[in-house]
Amino acid sequence: MVTLFKKIVGYALVALMIFSTMPTSSEATSIRPMHIPIKTNGIVIQTDASPIMVNNRVLVPFRAISQSMGANVHWDEQQKQVIVQKDGKTISIRLQSQVAFINEQTVTLDVPPIVYKGRVFVPIRFISESLGGKVEWTGREVNISFSALVPLSDGAFVNGAPLTTPLMTNGQYRYVSIKSLVTALDANVEWSEDHESLTIHTTRGRIVLYENSKEAEVDGQPVTLQLEPIRLGDEWYISLSAITMLFGGQFTINSAKEIHISIPRTTFRSTVLPKQSYSIARPNLVKEINVVDKRRLLVSDNPEMLAISTIPNKSGTLSADYVQSVETEVDHRVFGWHINLFDEKVNVAIVIENLSSTTELEVINRKGTYRISPNSWGHYDVGLPIAETMLRNALTVSSPVVIRPQSQRILHMFDVPTQQLIGFLYDFTVAKRSGEELSYRIRTVVTSGLLSPITVDPTPVPLDSYATHARGVWEGATIETTLPTYTVGSEPISYNISNGKTDHYMSVQRALSPTNMTIHNPGHYGAVYRVHIPVTRSANSTQMIRLRFSGRGGAYCGAMRINGSTYVIPPLEPVTQSAYIDYYMWGQQDVITLEFMHAGGSALPLGIEISSIQ
């Protein structure tokens, strides 16, 4: 009897041992151990269990992976679930269930977690990506990469003000909280975020960051960052190198290891018009325009990108205006817009060459302005200040220059760092001091190293046919139109200017430059666009008129002058946003005169709506 009892107990123990080593009911029937290394950020994780393959899915030991990525792991025995917490994110996974939760958001798993040999195994892609990592299965090893940031004790300041959030580091690069950064810069900041992007609205414009991506947007323009932003819960961190691309700023590190970030904020002398979400009425086309001056406009905007692909030798003539005239003097305007994509600093210059062997020239009435900034803020830091300065009649005055026969002079030269944009506008008059006729050439030039712009071949480099920005010479830097009379109290009415159709004056056919060296200028860049609006009203009608301005073909910004007073039109989203100004009528009839200069980064046309305010 005792012997039989011992045999039964023995069989039971053997059975228990066998069943204890078999997969639980939550496991799939096909489990294949994979004796391969698991790496996080290139370091092999030391675990007491190898990954397994279940139904063609790689599962890994849950606790080891989570802790290697800096997460806290907790086992809830009562609920039979694992809870992981990292960077404000909570992940819950229950055994025998293909439903997981990330901050109470439901996620469906391809394979449920299982217990195998006393360890909880989970799908590697789900757990790694849920914790902010990336997974690569090479067939020989599992690589998990993630950003592990730790706080730094180094002080950080933006334009002299301390940051409220500490700097972070991943052991190699420093990172700063972008929310803390923009809050220190601008009191009027709004941001919205979803599971993959962060959108920031500031007074200057809009910035969009994407999780796990080097691609970003600045006011609708794509930019590429050197390092991806890192998201830790509700905080988004950018590397210090991204500050230049996103904000046009620079940073320095002093002897105390303090980071001082400098982000120049453009200060406009003129009032910035308010903007709001509003779609103006569908515009009518402007039918007739006139050119009201004879100032020769030389536009240097092609090739816009100064790169090896467009200028292989890193030096060349960008645009040119050849003048042969019996006049005693000729007025000029030179407008330039170029981005240095070379790996070194370059010089951009305006050069004049006296081709006559007998006539002596003098360049008089010299005045102008220029701006240099990262391309991501080109419209705000370059285009808008140039336009505002022009309409305010605040161009910087320079001394006259004499050019002897058969000689050249550099009128202006600018140092342009790599990855920076140069925009400039200069007015001047070339006058005859002696001799019989004018014969000279004005050109814009780019050079690298110690090469003088004067020595560069005067033949313009080939046009960039892939980016059809304007290049050429046109007579007339002021364009004028008169709109139909608006009766106060009538329905709102809108008009397009610079639409490339009915008011497209600066075409290849009208250019003074050779056809094969010219690309049309439908945006009338470098020119002032003057609009007269006759208005009439009855004796007892309202005296208030609202003028709205809206981009119709893309993001728009520019400067505007109304009856002598200058204003700034801030960056506007196309169609959905408009800036506005209210005008008070004193009599029964009036003429509102508007003058516009489009910022160099604007997309056109511009819509103008006229309406009445009760």
Side-chain angles (χ1 to χ4, degrees):
M1 195 70 179
V2 175
T3 303
L4 179 60
F5 177 76
K6 288 183 178 180
K7 288 183 178 180
I8 293 173
V9 171
Y11 291 145
L13 289 174
V14 171
L16 182 61
M17 292 175 62
I18 293 173
F19 281 111
S20 67
T21 60
M22 291 178 63
T24 66
S25 60
S26 64
E27 294 177 284
T29 57
S30 174
I31 298 178
R32 180 165 58 90
M34 305 175 65
H35 301 289
I36 58 174
I38 306 173
K39 295 181 178 180
T40 59
N41 285 351
I43 300 175
V44 177
I45 303 175
Q46 300 299 325
T47 66
D48 55 1
S50 300
I52 59 176
M53 181 76 76
V54 178
N55 292 345
N56 293 322
R57 294 290 187 272
V58 178
L59 276 67
V60 292
F62 187 71
R63 181 178 294 275
I65 297 299
S66 300
Q67 290 180 340
S68 73
M69 297 181 69
N72 295 317
V73 182
H74 172 70
W75 167 252
D76 187 337
E77 176 64 29
Q78 184 177 1
Q79 299 294 327
K80 300 297 182 184
Q81 68 177 0
V82 181
I83 300 174
V84 181
Q85 293 178 320
K86 181 186 178 185
D87 303 329
K89 183 182 293 184
T90 300
I91 305 168
S92 302
I93 305 178
R94 182 173 296 175
L95 295 181
Q96 302 183 21
S97 175
Q98 288 185 248
V99 176
F101 296 91
I102 302 177
N103 288 346
E104 299 183 355
Q105 181 180 357
T106 302
V107 179
T108 302
L109 305 178
D110 292 340
V111 179
I114 66 172
V115 175
Y116 180 69
K117 293 186 178 181
R119 297 288 183 268
V120 177
F121 283 75
V122 294
I124 185 172
R125 188 168 300 279
F126 165 74
I127 187 59
S128 300
E129 293 182 351
S130 297
L131 293 175
K134 293 182 179 180
V135 179
E136 180 186 15
W137 161 236
T138 66
R140 295 184 177 181
E141 62 185 15
V142 176
N143 294 318
I144 304 172
S145 59
F146 66 97
S147 299
L149 294 182
V150 295
L152 280 172
S153 59
D154 303 342
F157 302 84
V158 179
N159 293 345
L163 283 178
T164 57
T165 302
L167 287 173
M168 307 287 278
T169 182
N170 62 355
Q172 185 175 5
Y173 300 103
R174 293 179 176 89
Y175 289 80
V176 62
S177 163
I178 192 170
K179 292 182 179 179
S180 178
L181 188 66
V182 296
T183 302
L185 286 172
D186 195 334
N188 300 313
V189 177
E190 297 178 359
W191 50 70
S192 59
E193 55 188 307
D194 52 31
H195 66 284
E196 62 179 13
S197 66
L198 171 69
T199 301
I200 301 173
H201 294 272
T202 72
T203 301
R204 302 178 73 175
R206 184 189 68 177
I207 297 173
V208 182
L209 298 178
Y210 297 97
E211 191 171 8
N212 301 322
S213 175
K214 294 181 182 179
E215 302 305 314
E217 293 180 20
V218 175
D219 236 29
Q221 300 297 316
V223 297
T224 301
L225 307 178
Q226 292 181 352
L227 298 169
E228 298 175 357
I230 297 175
R231 184 176 186 175
L232 301 180
D234 293 334
E235 289 287 352
W236 289 67
Y237 290 86
I238 58 171
S239 65
L240 294 182
S241 63
I243 291 173
T244 297
M245 295 301 297
L246 295 176
F247 297 96
Q250 304 292 333
F251 66 90
T252 58
I253 304 174
N254 62 17
S255 57
K257 294 186 178 181
E258 293 176 334
I259 309 296
H260 287 266
I261 301 169
S262 175
I263 299 179
R265 290 170 290 188
T266 300
T267 301
F268 298 109
R269 299 290 185 90
S270 309
T271 300
V272 179
L273 292 181
K275 65 180 179 181
Q276 58 184 198
S277 296
Y278 179 89
S279 296
I280 66 174
R282 184 172 181 176
N284 298 283
L285 299 180
V286 172
K287 295 184 177 180
E288 294 183 2
I289 66 167
N290 299 296
V291 179
V292 297
D293 65 356
K294 292 186 177 181
R295 184 178 294 276
R296 295 171 71 102
L297 173 62
L298 170 62
V299 177
S300 179
D301 190 18
N302 189 311
E304 181 187 56
M305 306 295 183
L306 306 181
I308 294 296
S309 59
T310 57
I311 308 174
N313 296 325
K314 295 186 180 181
S315 297
T317 294
L318 301 173
S319 63
D321 182 10
Y322 174 75
V323 179
Q324 190 84 24
S325 175
V326 295
E327 301 289 336
T328 56
E329 59 183 35
V330 178
D331 294 330
H332 289 271
R333 173 171 298 164
V334 180
F335 175 84
W337 190 273
H338 297 284
I339 304 165
N340 177 17
L341 295 184
F342 293 119
D343 56 1
E344 62 177 312
K345 179 199 77 173
V346 297
N347 296 315
V348 174
I350 303 174
V351 177
I352 182 169
E353 179 183 4
N354 188 350
L355 301 174
S356 172
S357 58
T358 58
T359 302
E360 188 174 68
L361 305 178
E362 184 176 17
V363 182
I364 59 176
N365 303 328
R366 296 175 60 202
K367 54 185 179 179
T369 186
Y370 77 97
R371 299 279 295 192
I372 296 175
S373 176
N375 183 43
S376 52
W377 285 111
H379 63 282
Y380 195 91
D381 285 343
V382 180
L384 273 179
I386 290 176
E388 184 212 17
T389 302
M390 175 65 200
L391 290 187
R392 286 184 59 248
N393 295 317
L395 299 176
T396 301
V397 177
S398 300
S399 301
V401 172
V402 175
I403 302 99
R404 295 185 177 87
Q406 298 288 299
S407 65
Q408 298 187 59
R409 289 289 299 269
I410 298 173
L411 296 182
H412 301 279
M413 188 162 70
F414 320 98
D415 291 339
V416 186
T418 180
Q419 303 300 317
Q420 300 279 299
L421 161 70
I422 171 75
F424 52 87
L425 183 152
Y426 282 88
D427 286 354
F428 52 88
T429 299
V430 178
K432 179 174 59 176
R433 287 188 53 150
S434 63
E436 296 184 356
E437 65 177 20
L438 298 174
S439 179
Y440 59 91
R441 177 167 43 212
I442 297 168
R443 56 196 177 106
T444 57
V445 178
V446 61
T447 58
S448 62
L450 300 177
L451 183 64
S452 170
I454 290 177
T455 63
V456 172
D457 185 344
T459 304
V461 298
L463 292 165
D464 182 358
S465 58
Y466 293 99
T468 55
H469 296 266
R471 184 168 87 181
V473 182
W474 291 268
E475 184 178 72
T478 303
I479 301 169
E480 185 177 65
T481 190
T482 299
L483 301 180
T485 300
Y486 174 74
T487 301
V488 178
S490 59
E491 292 296 316
I493 187 169
S494 299
Y495 297 90
N496 266 356
I497 67 170
S498 299
N499 56 63
K501 295 180 181 178
T502 56
D503 68 347
H504 185 188
Y505 169 75
M506 294 184 179
S507 63
V508 174
Q509 292 72 25
R510 289 181 179 268
L512 303 175
S513 48
T515 302
N516 64 338
M517 294 291 181
T518 304
I519 289 185
H520 66 169
N521 182 18
H524 303 147
Y525 292 118
V528 173
Y529 199 112
R530 185 179 298 155
V531 181
H532 301 290
I533 308 174
V535 290
T536 183
R537 72 181 186 91
S538 59
N540 59 353
S541 65
T542 179
Q543 293 176 285
M544 292 297 295
I545 296 172
R546 174 160 290 180
L547 301 170
R548 293 185 183 273
F549 314 105
S550 177
R552 307 299 297 176
Y556 178 84
C557 59
M560 184 272 294
R561 184 163 58 194
I562 177 169
N563 289 0
S565 298
T566 304
Y567 297 86
V568 171
I569 300 175
L572 302 173
E573 293 295 315
V575 180
T576 60
Q577 286 186 328
S578 65
Y580 65 91
I581 189 170
D582 295 334
Y583 182 83
Y584 186 84
M585 283 188 65
W586 292 99
Q588 267 62 58
Q589 293 184 337
D590 202 349
V591 176
I592 305 173
T593 297
L594 307 175
E595 292 175 286
F596 298 92
M597 177 165 276
H598 313 309
S602 297
L604 296 164
L606 170 68
I608 306 173
E609 182 187 83
I610 313 158
S611 62
S612 303
I613 300 178
Q614 298 299 325

